[in-house]
Amino acid sequence: RLQVVESGGGTVQAGGSLRLSCVVSKSSPEDYCVGWFRQLPGKERKEREGVATIYTGGGVLYYGASVKGRFTISQDNGKNTLALQMNSLKPEDTATYYCVAEVGTSCPLIREYYNNWGQGTQVTVSA
């Protein structure tokens, strides 16, 4: 079983940076998929989009097209923590960001793949 808790977020002006963090609690030593999704304003839960995912065992890393080159996902396996560094933020990045985790190796940017979600943290980018 995996449990995730996010922190960070807030309000920033366009062009600024924010960093999100996620702590993963797990009951087994196996590697797993972990990452970030977001829900844009006015969108439904089923429309949450993948931002970035990574396999803790290495070799798998994906970014959503809208954030590639601006966001960086990183992990500290020793502490089971995950970070999302968001640079060059745009107003269209405004969303609730969710940390996700799932046992597996493919780690796709597909919402249905992940059964373990955090409570979400709000990121607001002003123009």
Side-chain angles (χ1 to χ4, degrees):
R1 176 174 172 80
L2 298 167
Q3 292 183 304
V4 295
V5 177
E6 312 99 334
S7 62
T11 300
V12 66
Q13 288 188 330
S17 299
L18 281 174
R19 185 178 180 87
L20 305 182
S21 297
C22 175
V23 177
V24 181
S25 300
K26 61 189 185 79
S27 57
S28 64
E30 61 190 333
D31 288 305
Y32 54 95
C33 295
V34 65
W36 298 91
F37 278 67
R38 66 185 182 184
Q39 185 169 344
L40 302 177
K43 297 292 187 180
E44 298 182 1
R45 178 188 178 103
K46 63 181 180 181
E47 298 175 284
R48 290 176 181 176
E49 61 180 43
V51 174
T53 56
I54 192 169
Y55 177 59
T56 60
V60 177
L61 174 66
Y62 296 113
Y63 287 101
S66 61
V67 306
K68 200 168 186 178
R70 300 187 297 122
F71 291 11
T72 302
I73 189 172
S74 61
Q75 59 172 334
D76 182 343
N77 283 349
K79 298 182 180 180
N80 286 326
T81 58
L82 181 74
L84 183 70
Q85 179 66 40
M86 305 184 292
N87 298 328
S88 302
L89 282 161
K90 305 175 182 180
E92 50 264 43
D93 293 317
T94 295
T96 302
Y97 285 72
Y98 296 88
C99 183
V100 299
E102 188 57 63
V103 174
T105 60
S106 59
C107 313
L109 289 170
I110 299 173
R111 179 187 60 83
E112 294 86 350
Y113 183 85
Y114 300 90
N115 294 300
N116 304 288
W117 292 72
Q119 78 283 1
T121 186
Q122 180 66 36
V123 171
T124 302
V125 184
S126 60

